[in-house]
Amino acid sequence: MNLSNGKGSMSTSTSGAAWKSGDVVPDQFPAGLRVLVVDDDPTCLMILEKMLRTCIYEVTKCNRAEHALSLLRENKNGFDIVISDVHMPDMDGFKLLECIGLEMDLPVIMMSADDGKNVVMKGVTHGACDYLIKPVRIEALKNIWQHVVRKKKNEWRELEQSGSVEEGDRQAKPSEEADYSSSANEGNWKSSKKRKDEEEDPEDRDDTSTLKKPRVVWSVELHQQFVAAVNQLGIDMERLDFVGPERAFISQSAPSFQPNNRLVLFFPPNRLLEAVPKKILELMNVPGLTRENVASHLQKYRLYLRRLSGQHQTSMNNSFISPQEASFGSMTSLNGIDLQTLAVAGQIPAQSLATLQAAGLGRSTAKSGIPLPLVDQRNLFSFENPKLRFGEGQQQHLSNSKPVNLLHGIPTSMEPKQLTNLHQSTQSLGMNMQVNAHGTQNGSLLMQMAQPQSRGQILNDAMSGHIPRLPTTMKQPIVSTGVASGVLGRNGIADNGRAAGYNPVMQNNSMLNFPINQASELPGNSFPLGSASTMSSLPSKGTFQDEVTSEVKGSVAFVPSYDIFNDLNQHKSNDWDIQNVGLTFEASQQLNSMPGGSLDLVHQGFSGSQRNMPVRNQSNVGKPMYSMVDTDHGNSQNINQHLNNTLLGDNSVRVKTERTTDVLGDTAFFPEQFGQDDLMSALLKQQEGIAPSENQFDFDGYSMDNIPV
Amino acid sequence: METNNAADPLREQLAIMRNSLFDEKMLNDDFRVLETLEDREQPNFAEQVMNSFFESSDETIAIFEQTLENPTSNFSEFERQLYRLKGSCSGVGACKVRIEADKLEKCIEERDLERAKIVVQQIKKERDTLELRLEPYFQLLRQVEPSRGSQRPKSLRDAN
């Protein structure tokens, strides 16, 4: 036995309480692991408690499942792992398992004298991290800490990928250096991490747990509040700051689109992540909303704006940096940030970016650099480029809010629907990327991501005509990874592979797509990848895994599927994906380590993987999308529908087109058609049909004045 | 405590009692594990656990009997109790009782209620037997080694 206190001495008093994520004392670990044991049999409970104490764990025993749940709820983060019996009177052990997974996202070990295959399988499908057959040996209990570490590691990775560093990552965080100037994401990431660590832990902790909780649903009202706050604060969307010069940071840091470069992502300075969202949060004053929610939403919003501006300014995209050039610095502030975010968000492959850019510009460009609209935001408005809007509007959330908001905070009366419709363009992808970049939690962001992808997909499909549906849907998650998805759309063909590739990635990296939300969904932890763009609130993982569609509502659709389901089914194949995905956010080195080193390769890799898991992805990915369609009303639906329509065209996916996004129709999906004029008209037409046409696409209507620049 | 010499006969008796329990397969290694879990805080841990086992198995058996007397279509409680019994038997090392419990499970699967009733009585019997054997053992144990803590009787001449 592992008795540090002497033979058989219990260690209730040991540092149990001290063992918290981030607080762990390395040399004592896993001593003090806080275990909650639930079993209706007092005899077993007694034995387990004793055994666990012998392992120097901090044990709490409970003989009723309901009581256990209330204990867990009252003490959020008060336990590290739960061990539960299967057959209990008041609640089935599996149900408890699901609840815990959904609400607290703790690792749960099931146990029973019942060793039937079915019941053990049930444990697996419900997301148990282990299943012990009674009599439970103390040796088995000694190792349960591995589940805790594993889960945290996955969470951490997800968070990382999504660009947000949560407390869960503490343990694994690399050295913390606020080295913004470093071009490697590492520096940024670390600084972000550091920032996070330095931040209020309790709040972060809650956020972390919140991450896995139901995502924030960015309703129209909420988004409007958000936009209002943004406008009020005078946030320069280009620079995304009002407190500091990210621009300097951005321009200094080498963009990381170097050829063969894994997409060095660099993470906006902490300030960017912290201060701005914080302010917005304060201003919004919405109970229950966290800074992370805002931050991720902000990312998406910026992406959207960027996309809009980018589309308008083809010529003005001087700032577009071809990926190969890695000239982030040359990008305008807006673009710079966008690109960065994109980069951070997800390995925007050079090509993708180019594609995106091209798309934004209304033309397909091989490598125009970063597709993000570098144009002045104002330009966005002047250009009636529905695409831009779409990029932003895709996310229903965004679209719901005023279109203007998306457009750099200019209050537009654009209907979300319209926006969504408009989104068809890759812009949505852009949005996604943004979202990804920030990686903040984002229920809503995910949505956006998902949508954009679909858009991109659509485009791809349209262009290539043979883009596998899967990729499309799956792309959504990928999109979040970055522009790539958008780019893919544009390139169409080029993207196909990518999309495919991305899909898997996306799936794995729920975080990528949906920052924050993910947190959990990677395999193993069943973190919802939240690829579903529209799903801002991710239903519990447990549920999700079984039904992506149902869960998708409002939350990252993808995420849920990713959860257990992914874990179970796809984890294996997705493993590498996840790793890959995570890499994007991580230091560039990581990216390098990714198979294929370069993004392109990655894409390929993904595509390969994607093929392998087409079914899964589809189901997972597609579902979210569909769910969005189904569940989302309004813009998202429109978009989804479009997406679905287009995407699913070939795919067996099942997206039902709920409402035909007439607006976007087919035109939107085809990048070629993204001529500003064409798009505009298309959009305009749709707008009318979709929502009150308030000049959504009439950028002219937006008074740029509102936008603080 | 007295010197070993004085306690030797008692310890020897203790050892014999214990060994026979294992020899007769009334207890298995899982019980030994309980013993190893004893420490200063809970020197009689094994005894406490066994007491808990006997108590809860009483309840379980009662439910078995009641249910079999008035069989209902819903056997979920019965089943749950069955799993509970199996689990506790495994935990304490009460192998004979466990064997009977497994038989009962089979009877239920085969929907053989009559046979199930018989098996329930066998469960009862095994459980009672075990209790009868363990009680004096624990008593003696407390006598011989009141503060045994981690020193288990096996330190005695636990021959087998």
Side-chain angles (χ1 to χ4, degrees):
Chain A
M1 292 181 207
N2 169 24
L3 309 173
S4 60
N5 301 343
K7 255 169 116 182
S9 65
M10 302 213 349
S11 58
T12 335
S13 53
T14 333
S15 50
W19 197 90
K20 289 186 175 133
S21 53
D23 290 359
V24 65
V25 181
D27 54 346
Q28 283 181 28
F29 182 81
L33 193 71
R34 298 161 303 166
V35 186
L36 175 65
V37 181
V38 189
D39 194 332
D40 64 315
D41 181 25
T43 311
C44 287
L45 212 52
M46 204 186 283
I47 298 173
L48 278 167
E49 185 191 26
K50 190 70 179 178
M51 285 182 173
L52 289 166
R53 292 244 164 90
T54 305
C55 296
I56 317 191
Y57 292 156
E58 189 180 294
V59 188
T60 305
K61 57 179 181 180
C62 190
N63 65 350
R64 308 282 294 183
E66 288 293 347
H67 182 218
L69 271 179
S70 54
L71 274 177
L72 288 166
R73 285 170 186 147
E74 286 162 21
N75 305 291
K76 285 193 192 261
N77 302 311
F79 297 96
D80 299 305
I81 189 167
V82 179
I83 302 179
S84 171
D85 190 42
V86 167
H87 302 276
M88 290 189 289
D90 59 338
M91 185 192 289
D92 179 45
F94 296 117
K95 185 150 184 297
L96 176 66
L97 164 62
E98 275 184 355
C99 288
I100 296 177
L102 285 171
E103 296 184 35
M104 300 105 200
D105 195 29
L106 288 174
V108 180
I109 295 176
M110 302 304 294
M111 61 175 175
S112 176
D114 184 2
D115 61 352
K117 250 189 252 172
N118 292 341
V119 71
V120 176
M121 174 59 89
K122 232 177 146 187
V124 174
T125 56
H126 283 74
C129 57
D130 204 352
Y131 190 105
L132 305 177
I133 307 289
K134 290 181 179 176
V136 177
R137 302 281 177 173
I138 194 169
E139 289 75 22
L141 294 177
K142 271 190 196 157
N143 293 326
I144 62 175
W145 59 267
Q146 63 175 298
H147 303 295
V148 180
V149 173
R150 189 178 298 119
K151 202 170 184 86
K152 289 202 183 297
K153 185 165 174 277
N154 288 341
E155 290 172 15
W156 175 76
R157 184 192 296 164
E158 287 177 2
L159 288 170
E160 245 197 320
Q161 292 169 354
S162 64
S164 73
V165 176
E166 294 297 343
E167 54 168 290
D169 306 339
R170 278 178 228 235
Q171 292 181 24
K173 40 177 172 226
S175 61
E176 303 166 8
E177 311 164 13
D179 182 13
Y180 297 153
S181 57
S182 156
S183 57
N185 354 323
E186 202 169 327
N188 301 327
W189 174 72
K190 284 179 188 167
S191 51
S192 309
K193 238 184 181 1
K194 184 177 186 184
R195 167 185 58 78
K196 272 226 168 252
D197 296 337
E198 294 168 350
E199 270 185 65
E200 54 295 298
D201 286 350
E203 177 184 318
D204 284 351
R205 276 209 191 132
D206 292 340
D207 290 342
T208 304
S209 43
T210 308
L211 286 184
K212 300 136 192 179
K213 268 87 175 208
R215 315 293 190 229
V216 170
V217 179
W218 281 91
S219 64
V220 179
E221 295 78 20
L222 199 59
H223 182 71
Q224 285 176 352
Q225 277 181 284
F226 168 82
V227 175
V230 164
N231 294 337
Q232 188 176 334
L233 289 168
I235 296 173
D236 179 349
M237 281 300 166
E238 291 190 14
R239 302 204 301 220
L240 196 66
D241 80 12
F242 56 79
V243 294
E246 276 72 17
R247 178 188 295 246
F249 161 60
I250 291 170
S251 56
Q252 282 164 14
S253 342
S256 356
F257 282 98
Q258 318 281 349
N260 303 321
N261 193 1
R262 283 308 155 147
L263 181 69
V264 175
L265 305 176
F266 67 71
F267 214 76
N270 292 344
R271 230 185 351 229
L272 196 89
L273 295 176
E274 290 176 18
V276 172
K278 252 188 206 159
K279 294 268 185 186
I280 298 174
L281 181 68
E282 288 167 14
L283 216 53
M284 284 177 72
N285 194 25
V286 172
L289 196 64
T290 67
R291 188 193 60 74
E292 280 69 20
N293 297 143
V294 174
S296 64
H297 191 70
L298 181 63
Q299 272 184 336
K300 293 181 183 157
Y301 186 62
R302 284 176 57 227
L303 274 174
Y304 167 79
L305 294 177
R306 211 183 324 168
R307 193 170 325 147
L308 293 177
S309 64
Q311 291 202 338
H312 282 307
Q313 308 302 336
T314 305
S315 53
M316 290 168 61
N317 285 329
N318 48 354
S319 51
F320 273 97
I321 300 175
S322 54
Q324 283 70 23
E325 298 167 12
S327 47
F328 267 79
S330 59
M331 289 166 58
T332 61
S333 59
L334 170 62
N335 292 321
I337 294 178
D338 291 340
L339 286 178
Q340 286 183 1
T341 17
L342 290 176
V344 175
Q347 319 141 350
I348 302 171
Q351 288 191 351
S352 300
L353 286 177
T355 311
L356 189 62
Q357 182 176 9
L361 299 180
R363 59 166 185 239
S364 52
T365 327
K367 346 166 139 174
S368 46
I370 298 176
L372 296 178
L374 300 175
V375 296
D376 182 13
Q377 295 186 1
R378 293 161 195 276
N379 294 326
L380 293 179
F381 297 98
S382 52
F383 289 73
E384 305 175 276
N385 194 336
K387 285 191 217 161
L388 293 178
R389 280 279 171 135
F390 265 99
E392 308 300 333
Q394 276 196 344
Q395 290 91 25
Q396 302 185 346
H397 305 303
L398 293 181
S399 54
N400 289 334
S401 54
K402 306 166 177 205
V404 176
N405 294 328
L406 294 175
L407 300 174
H408 310 286
I410 295 181
T412 55
S413 50
M414 262 176 55
E415 257 332 83
K417 289 183 191 172
Q418 294 178 338
L419 288 177
T420 52
N421 293 336
L422 293 175
H423 281 308
Q424 303 197 338
S425 62
T426 53
Q427 290 169 357
S428 53
L429 296 174
M431 286 296 291
N432 290 336
M433 298 207 292
Q434 254 190 359
V435 179
N436 291 325
H438 292 283
T440 45
Q441 33 175 266
N442 45 66
S444 55
L445 291 181
L446 293 178
M447 265 207 358
Q448 297 177 350
M449 311 275 270
Q451 295 196 7
Q453 273 197 333
S454 43
R455 302 248 177 147
Q457 296 286 334
I458 296 173
L459 291 178
N460 290 333
D461 293 337
M463 301 183 71
S464 57
H466 51 261
I467 295 179
R469 290 294 171 249
L470 269 191
T472 351
T473 46
M474 305 221 313
K475 284 194 186 166
Q476 289 194 345
I478 297 181
V479 174
S480 48
T481 350
V483 183
S485 35
V487 177
L488 293 178
R490 303 232 187 248
N491 291 330
I493 298 170
D495 296 29
N496 287 343
R498 252 182 269 191
Y502 278 109
N503 291 337
V505 175
M506 294 308 302
Q507 292 183 349
N508 297 320
N509 297 313
S510 52
M511 289 309 289
L512 286 184
N513 298 328
F514 305 93
I516 304 182
N517 286 334
Q518 313 270 337
S520 50
E521 322 291 289
L522 286 180
N525 293 328
S526 62
F527 280 98
L529 291 182
S531 49
S533 52
T534 51
M535 317 244 258
S536 50
S537 53
L538 187 64
S540 60
K541 296 181 301 186
T543 50
F544 204 35
Q545 42 180 189
D546 295 331
E547 312 180 28
V548 175
T549 7
S550 54
E551 305 307 336
V552 176
K553 304 181 199 180
S555 56
V556 180
F558 207 69
V559 176
S561 58
Y562 208 65
D563 254 89
I564 301 174
F565 190 48
N566 286 337
D567 293 342
L568 297 179
N569 306 330
Q570 311 172 0
H571 190 54
K572 304 316 189 295
S573 42
N574 294 341
D575 278 338
W576 68 270
D577 290 336
I578 299 179
Q579 295 171 358
N580 295 336
V581 179
L583 292 176
T584 52
F585 279 100
E586 293 166 353
S588 51
Q589 295 90 349
Q590 292 180 349
L591 287 173
N592 293 324
S593 59
M594 276 165 54
S598 61
L599 288 175
D600 290 351
L601 291 177
V602 172
H603 296 309
Q604 293 168 8
F606 286 128
S607 35
S609 62
Q610 188 207 356
R611 274 178 234 122
N612 295 333
M613 6 186 219
V615 177
R616 280 198 305 232
N617 293 336
Q618 289 181 345
S619 54
N620 295 331
V621 178
K623 283 191 189 160
M625 274 209 7
Y626 304 133
S627 344
M628 288 201 313
V629 177
D630 300 336
T631 56
D632 291 336
H633 309 282
N635 300 342
S636 53
Q637 285 183 338
N638 294 335
I639 300 180
N640 293 327
Q641 291 184 355
H642 283 295
L643 296 179
N644 293 332
N645 294 334
T646 31
L647 293 179
L648 306 177
D650 306 331
N651 290 340
S652 41
V653 179
R654 358 340 100 138
V655 178
K656 335 164 207 199
T657 326
E658 300 183 336
R659 308 188 252 189
T660 18
T661 11
D662 21 328
V663 177
L664 296 183
D666 304 325
T667 50
F669 298 136
F670 293 80
E672 295 106 46
Q673 308 182 13
F674 280 116
Q676 288 183 357
D677 294 345
D678 295 340
L679 193 55
M680 272 313 291
S681 38
L683 291 169
L684 286 170
K685 281 182 199 158
Q686 294 186 346
Q687 284 187 6
E688 292 165 8
I690 296 173
S693 46
E694 306 163 64
N695 298 336
Q696 290 180 6
F697 305 101
D698 289 338
F699 288 79
D700 306 317
Y702 299 134
S703 49
M704 297 298 306
D705 299 336
N706 297 346
I707 302 175
V709 176
Chain B
M1 198 58 262
E2 302 168 359
T3 63
N4 279 349
N5 287 340
D8 277 351
L10 288 179
R11 287 173 190 256
E12 226 171 290
Q13 187 182 351
L14 207 54
I16 292 169
M17 288 170 80
R18 183 163 175 276
N19 292 340
S20 67
L21 282 168
F22 287 106
D23 290 342
E24 294 169 45
K25 301 277 197 310
M26 296 189 76
L27 290 177
N28 63 15
D29 280 345
D30 291 310
F31 180 80
R32 287 199 176 94
V33 170
L34 294 187
E35 294 175 322
T36 60
L37 288 174
E38 290 178 343
D39 54 16
R40 285 193 205 89
E41 286 187 31
Q42 283 175 290
N44 303 324
F45 181 68
E47 184 180 357
Q48 289 168 1
V49 172
M50 292 315 294
N51 287 340
S52 168
F53 167 73
F54 292 131
E55 200 176 312
S56 62
S57 58
D58 270 346
E59 293 171 13
T60 300
I61 291 169
I63 291 175
F64 283 161
E65 289 171 333
Q66 286 169 21
T67 311
L68 289 177
E69 285 303 314
N70 303 301
T72 57
S73 57
N74 186 8
F75 251 51
S76 62
E77 177 62 17
F78 186 101
E79 195 181 42
R80 194 183 68 73
Q81 289 292 336
L82 184 53
Y83 283 128
R84 180 170 146 172
L85 180 66
K86 284 173 68 173
S88 55
C89 287
S90 306
V92 303
C95 6
K96 283 199 173 172
V97 184
R98 171 73 197 250
I99 289 170
E100 298 303 321
D102 288 339
K103 283 185 197 167
L104 180 60
E105 189 178 13
K106 202 133 190 295
C107 292
I108 298 304
E109 280 172 21
E110 295 164 1
R111 296 285 179 211
D112 189 348
L113 291 189
E114 287 313 310
R115 171 122 183 92
K117 286 178 186 174
I118 296 171
V119 174
V120 167
Q121 292 310 308
Q122 282 177 318
I123 289 175
K124 198 170 185 183
K125 179 167 158 273
E126 291 296 341
R127 173 224 169 273
D128 292 343
T129 305
L130 183 61
E131 190 177 22
L132 284 173
R133 294 284 293 274
L134 276 176
E135 212 177 299
Y137 169 75
F138 282 130
Q139 266 180 6
L140 189 56
L141 195 56
R142 267 181 267 130
Q143 237 180 299
V144 173
E145 292 195 33
S147 57
R148 55 185 176 277
S150 52
Q151 281 86 39
R152 282 276 44 229
K154 60 180 180 292
S155 63
L156 297 175
R157 292 163 315 266
D158 193 348
N160 303 341

